[in-house]
Amino acid sequence: TEIPAIVEVEWLDSMQDHGWDTPMELKDAMLHRSAGYLVADEPSYLAVSNSIGIGEDNLGSVIQIPRMAVLNLTELRPSMKRD
């Protein structure tokens, strides 16, 4: 089995505010950076986990990011064979 690559994803998040706003009060989309194990690289989304189980297929705190929201994907460490 393999240990997934570690990546950093720069992405835009949607926002919602409650109540009424004027056009001057509207804000730009929020820019985020998330890093972790790339556990899915699909045509419509990426999934990044902050931890993986050793010897098991357990994932911790997975975020799925729509591909259209991804601005940049940087590989920090390639995938590796698990001993």
Side-chain angles (χ1 to χ4, degrees):
T1 61
E2 283 194 348
I3 299 172
I6 297 176
V7 298
E8 180 183 71
V9 184
E10 189 174 306
W11 57 284
L12 287 176
D13 197 2
S14 302
M15 291 181 17
Q16 179 179 351
D17 198 2
H18 65 284
W20 293 92
D21 290 319
T22 66
M24 297 301 291
E25 294 173 319
L26 297 177
K27 300 168 185 73
D28 288 337
M30 295 177 63
L31 178 63
H32 293 278
R33 285 192 183 95
S34 298
Y37 295 96
L38 182 63
V39 295
D41 188 355
E42 301 296 329
S44 62
Y45 70 92
L46 300 176
V48 176
S49 174
N50 72 1
S51 61
I52 56 173
I54 301 298
E56 301 177 16
D57 286 334
N58 294 330
L59 304 174
S61 298
V62 177
I63 183 170
Q64 286 184 233
I65 305 168
R67 180 71 71 170
M68 66 178 66
V70 174
L71 300 177
N72 192 34
L73 177 64
T74 303
E75 187 175 74
L76 304 176
R77 195 214 66 213
S79 61
M80 303 173 13
K81 292 281 186 198
R82 192 177 279 181
D83 293 332

